[in-house]
Amino acid sequence: MSNFVREQLRAYRKKNENIGRLIIKCPDRPGIVATVTAFLKEHNANIVELSQYSMNPEGGTFFTRIEFECPDLKKQAEKLEQEFQEVADQFSMEWKFNYVSDLKRAAIFVSKEPHCLLELLWEWQSGDLMMDIALVISNHEDARETVEALQIPYYYIPANKDIRKEVEEKQLKLLQVFEVDLIILARYMQILTPDFVAAHPNRIINIHHSFLPAFIGARPYERAYDRGVKLIGATSHYVTNDLDEGPIIEQDIGRVNHRDSAEDMKKAGRTIERRVLARAVKWHIEDRVIVHGNKTVVF
């Protein structure tokens, strides 16, 4: 990465070295917030943001995201997590402590259309996506110059359905070498195998050029044009083995009318796609998305 971005990320890590986030999902019952906040207070942690949601106070599922500041957090992290286990057991919690200075390491997958990749790179350079872009993987060479100009490794791996297993073996090896924990499909026009998806549950974010569940699959703008739609949109979701049906993170729409051709719709759609994907990625790296079944809670 460039020296400017490197320094920006270094300063962000330094500023947030004592900031942590606690993400919780559990059956709802009285006393959860009181117990968790008391635990953090006992460990000298000051809560700076707290979001919570209950699907139903009577037997539903409870979700919370708590951001806190704690002196010498990295030194205390192991003890904090060990001692929180007792609270977690009491309330049957699924929980995780994340530390803001530990930036998520992302791999971006892209094919020929660059608009979503360019948006991510711009937001990253601007300091709005605080993550490490470890590498870019593509089945085309088109974006190499743009990516390498930012000193990001670029790997060209030709792909098609006939060599999918061989391709994914190479990709998985790269993801392991670069210690990637987030995969962003920025208009990567290849279907992933069940094995690949299973290896990264709720860690693959896709952008679909349609306002799901409408126009699933190929040629959505042409089909939208033929249908005479008045709204087009885009959907960003986690990838599952059900094509384009994973938990939705973000959606947006734009108006069109009878004067717009399929190409006009496609152009307008690209603008929606890139901003929807960027928002979804931002919320993920800020630990604002909690998956529940095939839905998400986004704080």
Side-chain angles (χ1 to χ4, degrees), residues 22 31 36 58 70 112 129 148 168 174 184 240 252 268 276:
L22 174 57
V36 172
E58 306 261 342
C70 183
K112 288 184 73 69
L129 288 178
E148 290 186 341
E168 289 190 348
L174 284 171
I184 305 166
T240 65
D252 205 350
V276 167

Side-chain angles (χ1 to χ4, degrees), residues 64 122 128 133 224:
T64 188
W122 168 249
D128 291 324
I133 300 180

Side-chain angles (χ1 to χ4, degrees), residues 15 44 49 70 72 82 90 113 122 195 200 229 233 262 266 275 295 297:
K15 179 182 177 182
N44 202 28
E49 183 180 337
C70 183
D72 297 319
Q82 288 176 349
Q90 179 183 349
E113 296 191 38
W122 168 249
D195 288 343
H200 306 91
V229 303
K266 191 175 295 186
R275 69 179 183 233
K295 296 183 178 181
V297 172

Side-chain angles (χ1 to χ4, degrees), residues 47-210:
I47 294 172
V48 296
E49 183 180 337
L50 189 155
S51 302
Q52 65 185 69
Y53 169 69
S54 174
M55 298 186 75
N56 187 336
E58 306 261 342
T61 302
F62 177 81
F63 308 84
T64 188
R65 173 190 183 273
I66 302 174
E67 192 165 301
F68 61 90
E69 183 171 11
C70 183
D72 297 319
L73 180 58
K74 282 302 182 70
K75 293 180 181 179
Q76 295 198 56
E78 185 176 352
K79 179 183 177 184
L80 199 67
E81 295 185 25
Q82 288 176 349
E83 295 185 359
F84 187 75
Q85 186 63 55
E86 184 178 342
V87 175
D89 292 342
Q90 179 183 349
F91 292 96
S92 302
M93 293 175 173
E94 295 178 32
W95 59 280
K96 184 174 178 58
F97 278 98
N98 288 332
Y99 305 100
V100 177
S101 61
D102 293 339
L103 298 182
K104 291 179 175 59
R105 290 179 57 79
I108 301 177
F109 284 46
V110 65
S111 290
K112 288 184 73 69
E113 296 191 38
H115 55 284
C116 288
L117 169 66
L118 293 174
E119 182 76 8
L120 294 172
L121 294 176
W122 168 249
E123 293 282 322
W124 177 67
Q125 292 177 85
S126 301
D128 291 324
L129 288 178
M130 302 310 293
M131 62 183 179
D132 277 331
I133 300 180
L135 73 162
V136 172
I137 295 175
S138 181
N139 56 331
H140 296 276
E141 287 279 16
D142 301 54
R144 178 181 292 277
E145 185 176 352
T146 299
V147 171
E148 290 186 341
L150 296 172
Q151 300 174 34
I152 299 170
Y154 186 91
Y155 289 87
Y156 166 58
I157 304 177
N160 60 61
K161 63 181 181 180
D162 298 324
I163 57 170
R164 189 162 288 152
K165 183 177 180 181
E166 175 188 338
V167 168
E168 289 190 348
E169 286 176 357
K170 294 177 181 177
Q171 293 170 340
L172 288 168
K173 188 173 294 184
L174 284 171
L175 297 177
Q176 185 176 18
V177 168
F178 281 90
E179 299 179 319
V180 165
D181 48 34
L182 171 62
I183 299 165
I184 305 166
L185 306 183
R187 296 304 307 275
Y188 182 65
M189 308 306 290
Q190 296 289 317
I191 295 175
L192 304 177
T193 67
D195 288 343
F196 190 100
V197 174
H200 306 91
N202 300 325
R203 293 189 290 125
I204 307 174
I205 297 178
N206 185 41
I207 182 66
H208 184 79
H209 40 279
S210 177

